[in-house]
Amino acid sequence: MSVEEFGQRLLNEVKEESLEQTLTELRHISGISGANLNIPFLDRLLEVFLPETEVLQSTNLPDIANPETIRPQYHGLGRRRVIEVTGTGSSSGKTLLLYYIAAISILPQKLNDVSLGGKGAAVIVLDTDNRFDVRRFRDIMWNHAVTKLMEGAQISQKEASSYWEWLEKVLDEAMRHLHIFRPQSSASLLATLDTIPDYLLNSSDHSSSTRSLATVLLDSVSAFYWQDKASDEPSSPPGPSRPTLSPYMQTYTTLVSSLRGLQTRFGCTIVATNWGLIPLQSERGYDKLPQSYRPHLPPVWTNFCTLRLIICRERPPKFPHLHSFEEAMRDKAMWPRTGKPAVFTVWVDQRWGTERWTDSQKRRLQRVKGGGYAQFELRQGGELFVLNPCA
């Protein structure tokens, strides 16, 4: 073998990698990616369903000086944190849960040495349903910060009022890192996703270029479902050597690819809401499990999701049978005076896709407090309590 051939052989063995890829991988390995949502219940469930090779074990870190201990075990660490939240109907609490996740993401970690539980990061909201209410979101963030301040400083609400002016400035600063986009079609959504990396890294457009991207919130992934289905025709004539790919399938394939690219680059968590269109009927062996829905989106999206949650709002009891009109009006008038908070229940879908769960995942889910069920409340004034696992 000549010197030239030997040199070419050595060059062929060298793997090229961009500086961005190297820094991203080192960030994941060192455990400073900040991928957690800072919401214990959701973080614990993500750990259950993440592939075991993607769960960072701080007691078993690889030797950074030895690349063989990094790949393939730690390659791509933290890039599969995708949560789908399916609602059982209108006003089920999907967007409300997104408000809470966004609030935790952009709030600072501490306020006057009192922990707010925030991440001090940036958030991207893809509001395809045009339902993200900024005023309501701020109310929820305000009440969360006030509650944390009162608990951490052990002061009353009257004493906490002395912090109001300062707290307003803190929230104003946090709101600057909430970036809302409202695409009007699937094509607009995909084009928006393509521009997000350049937008985030451009310091002249906003003040979030020095912050990490904590979450990308998509509300909802089904917003353009019917429009896309209406144009569901093959993009090319079917042939023996060329499979047919409809625009509908291509849309979700590109969507998943774009979202995965954002995760790879920024190490963020993706949370998407979805519609519950096809309820699963009760079957033998599933009678004791809560409501579930058959996925109506292509498998490329379903397989992309790490954790599938279902959320519903606890409805007030119905009027008894043969209730008179006068009695119904009297009882209805009593509801606003009860002062009961709106209660929402969240649970892991345990009826669809469980055949892909490993035995280890099933055991870990059983060890999670509440078994994958949690509740949160919305009281008058927008006071949102954290997700508490059901006993």
Side-chain angles (χ1 to χ4, degrees), residues 222-234:
S222 296
F224 312 117
Y225 172 75
W226 296 114
Q227 295 94 313
D228 294 336
K229 288 290 289 184
S231 60
D232 190 16
E233 298 179 356

Side-chain angles (χ1 to χ4, degrees), residues 249-267:
M249 293 292 295
Q250 183 62 48
T251 294
Y252 283 93
T253 300
T254 307
L255 174 63
V256 168
S257 177
S258 298
L259 291 174
R260 183 179 286 119
L262 281 177
Q263 282 193 311
T264 302
R265 189 165 188 177
F266 296 100

Side-chain angles (χ1 to χ4, degrees), residues 271-293:
V271 184
T273 63
N274 200 357
W275 302 341
L277 296 181
I278 312 173
L280 290 178
Q281 302 298 323
S282 297
E283 301 176 3
R284 188 174 182 180
Y286 293 94
D287 298 337
K288 296 182 179 180
L289 294 178
Q291 181 66 61
S292 178
Y293 294 87

Side-chain angles (χ1 to χ4, degrees), residues 174-356:
M175 291 287 290
R176 296 173 61 190
H177 304 285
L178 177 72
H179 306 276
I180 303 176
F181 300 86
R182 290 193 167 95
Q184 301 301 310
S185 65
S186 290
S188 176
L189 173 60
L190 297 178
T192 300
L193 287 171
D194 286 341
T195 62
I196 284 178
D198 291 337
Y199 167 78
L200 288 175
L201 298 176
N202 189 348
S203 59
S204 62
D205 289 341
H206 53 81
S207 57
S208 298
S209 58
T210 58
R211 288 196 174 199
S212 62
L213 178 62
T215 50
V216 174
L217 307 179
L218 174 56
D219 189 19
S220 75
V221 69
S222 296
F224 312 117
Y225 172 75
W226 296 114
Q227 295 94 313
D228 294 336
K229 288 290 289 184
S231 60
D232 190 16
E233 298 179 356
S235 58
S236 59
S241 60
R242 189 173 187 180
T244 301
L245 189 62
S246 67
Y248 168 73
M249 293 292 295
Q250 183 62 48
T251 294
Y252 283 93
T253 300
T254 307
L255 174 63
V256 168
S257 177
S258 298
L259 291 174
R260 183 179 286 119
L262 281 177
Q263 282 193 311
T264 302
R265 189 165 188 177
F266 296 100
C268 56
T269 299
I270 295 173
V271 184
T273 63
N274 200 357
W275 302 341
L277 296 181
I278 312 173
L280 290 178
Q281 302 298 323
S282 297
E283 301 176 3
R284 188 174 182 180
Y286 293 94
D287 298 337
K288 296 182 179 180
L289 294 178
Q291 181 66 61
S292 178
Y293 294 87
R294 184 185 302 274
H296 58 276
L297 297 181
V300 65
W301 170 262
T302 305
N303 296 333
F304 178 56
C305 299
T306 307
L307 174 63
R308 191 164 184 253
L309 300 175
I310 299 178
I311 186 171
C312 76
R313 179 175 181 174
E314 301 294 330
R315 304 294 180 181
K318 297 181 179 180
F319 295 127
H321 186 54
L322 298 179
H323 222 42
S324 68
F325 177 77
E326 291 78 10
E327 291 173 325
M329 292 301 296
R330 181 197 63 202
D331 293 344
K332 180 180 179 181
M334 293 174 59
W335 278 107
R337 295 197 298 268
T338 59
K340 291 184 178 180
V343 179
F344 301 85
T345 303
V346 185
W347 64 87
V348 177
D349 186 358
Q350 300 187 37
R351 292 181 57 186
W352 183 266
T354 56
E355 68 279 357
R356 297 192 297 268

Side-chain angles (χ1 to χ4, degrees), residues 64-133:
I64 297 179
N66 185 1
E68 297 301 323
T69 66
I70 298 177
R71 303 182 182 88
Q73 182 179 4
Y74 291 90
H75 186 69
L77 186 65
R79 298 175 186 171
R80 288 281 310 278
R81 302 176 66 87
V82 183
I83 303 176
E84 181 190 78
V85 183
T86 301
T88 58
S90 178
S91 302
S92 57
K94 302 188 300 294
T95 304
L96 187 62
L97 181 58
L98 295 191
Y99 289 156
Y100 182 61
I101 294 174
I104 297 298
S105 298
I106 66 175
L107 278 171
Q109 296 179 356
K110 291 185 178 182
L111 175 63
N112 196 27
D113 295 329
V114 175
S115 174
L116 296 182
K119 292 175 61 65
V123 170
I124 293 291
V125 178
L126 300 168
D127 185 20
T128 55
D129 276 341
N130 200 23
R131 291 184 178 180
F132 197 94
D133 189 331

